[in-house]
Amino acid sequence: KAGVTQTPRYLIKTRGQQVTLSCSPISGHRSVSWYQQTPGQGLQFLFEYFSETQRNKGNFPGRFSGRQFSNSRSEMNVSTLELGDSALYLCASSWTGMNTEAFFGQGTRLTVV
Amino acid sequence: AQRVTQPEKLLSVFKGAPVELKCNYSYSGSPELFWYVQYSRQRLQLLLRHISRESIKGFTADLNKGETSFHLKKPFAQEEDSAMYYCALQGQGAQKLVFGQGTRLTINP
């Protein structure tokens, strides 16, 4: 069975631009979570979606947003990019989200210049 | 507040030696604890979770609620155990994972 797929794998953007990242969960999984990974802060939770509704949100500014479609695919958007947004963005899917195993994608490496 | 602390950023041991990766947590209720592993050029994957009480690849972890710890142990390290290890906490009824900073384990031949 196919794993969690994230596209694109790499992105280079300029400060002030916006970016959209995509995540396709494992078939049947309805929960999708997003994490930001940086050398300084480690892995930090961004938000979680279940059945097209945001259920939980981390401590990130409003420039970070997301959505989930009826097929459970999810996108996250970052507007007005800052240099500090450079990071590896990981998506994880699970059956229901509640205390179930999370399966991670390979991540999207975003570089802001 | 939910917090996970892995005190060792780097850990190096010889093949065949015992390994212990430390993890301490802070959570007011009864959390679920996990160990995730990331091998070179691979995605983050679940190694084990405390609720299953399994031994995966020779690794075990015991939840000590009194000491709020969830240390990962293996009696005899193998070279293929070299990887980045993350301890993670999940609150009751939640999906959000709170990760520690990770420990890079290197097994020397």
Side-chain angles (χ1 to χ4, degrees):
Chain A
K1 127 173 137 173
V4 178
T5 304
Q6 291 188 245
T7 56
R9 291 291 309 280
Y10 303 93
L11 267 177
I12 299 177
K13 289 286 186 179
T14 305
R15 271 182 302 175
Q17 287 187 312
Q18 74 164 17
V19 67
T20 299
L21 313 181
S22 180
C23 172
S24 293
I26 291 172
S27 178
H29 285 190
R30 295 169 64 190
S31 168
V32 174
S33 297
W34 289 88
Y35 294 84
Q36 182 195 66
Q37 186 176 27
T38 59
Q41 300 297 317
L43 279 152
Q44 292 188 287
F45 173 79
L46 280 155
F47 28 65
E48 186 239 350
Y49 286 87
F50 181 81
S51 293
E52 302 178 65
T53 301
Q54 187 182 88
R55 264 198 314 204
N56 205 346
K57 190 177 191 307
N59 295 324
F60 279 83
R63 300 184 297 107
F64 292 81
S65 62
R67 59 178 175 169
Q68 187 180 33
F69 301 95
S70 58
N71 62 358
S72 293
R73 189 178 70 86
S74 177
E75 289 182 345
M76 69 162 278
N77 184 277
V78 188
S79 62
T80 320
L81 283 165
E82 300 176 0
L83 295 179
D85 297 332
S86 295
L88 181 67
Y89 290 88
L90 294 174
C91 164
S93 77
S94 66
W95 288 105
T96 65
M98 299 298 194
N99 300 126
T100 56
E101 179 180 351
F103 293 83
F104 283 82
Q106 294 273 43
T108 294
R109 170 77 60 187
L110 171 65
T111 301
V112 182
V113 297
Chain B
Q2 301 176 17
R3 185 174 296 146
V4 176
T5 303
Q6 293 178 250
E8 304 133 332
K9 276 193 170 181
L10 303 170
L11 184 62
S12 181
V13 302
F14 286 102
K15 178 182 172 182
V19 173
E20 182 179 44
L21 288 80
K22 290 183 169 44
C23 172
N24 289 90
Y25 68 90
S26 173
Y27 183 71
S28 56
S30 294
E32 275 228 45
L33 275 301
F34 303 83
W35 277 98
Y36 279 83
V37 61
Q38 188 166 31
Y39 301 102
S40 180
R41 301 182 189 281
Q42 293 188 29
R43 63 186 67 197
L44 196 60
Q45 58 186 281
L46 179 66
L47 179 62
L48 55 79
R49 55 194 298 182
H50 90 272
I51 198 169
S52 63
R53 298 185 180 276
E54 290 176 303
S55 173
I56 306 293
K57 299 185 178 183
F59 284 98
T60 58
D62 289 319
L63 178 59
N64 186 323
K65 291 187 178 181
E67 296 182 358
T68 58
S69 68
F70 188 56
H71 303 327
L72 183 69
K73 300 177 184 179
K74 184 170 182 176
F76 307 104
Q78 298 173 297
E79 288 184 64
E80 54 263 35
D81 296 329
S82 294
M84 193 74 179
Y85 290 80
Y86 293 94
C87 181
L89 173 156
Q90 195 173 55
Q92 289 168 295
Q95 173 57 23
K96 169 185 173 180
L97 285 163
V98 177
F99 286 90
Q101 290 283 62
T103 298
R104 183 168 296 284
L105 175 65
T106 302
I107 308 301
N108 300 304

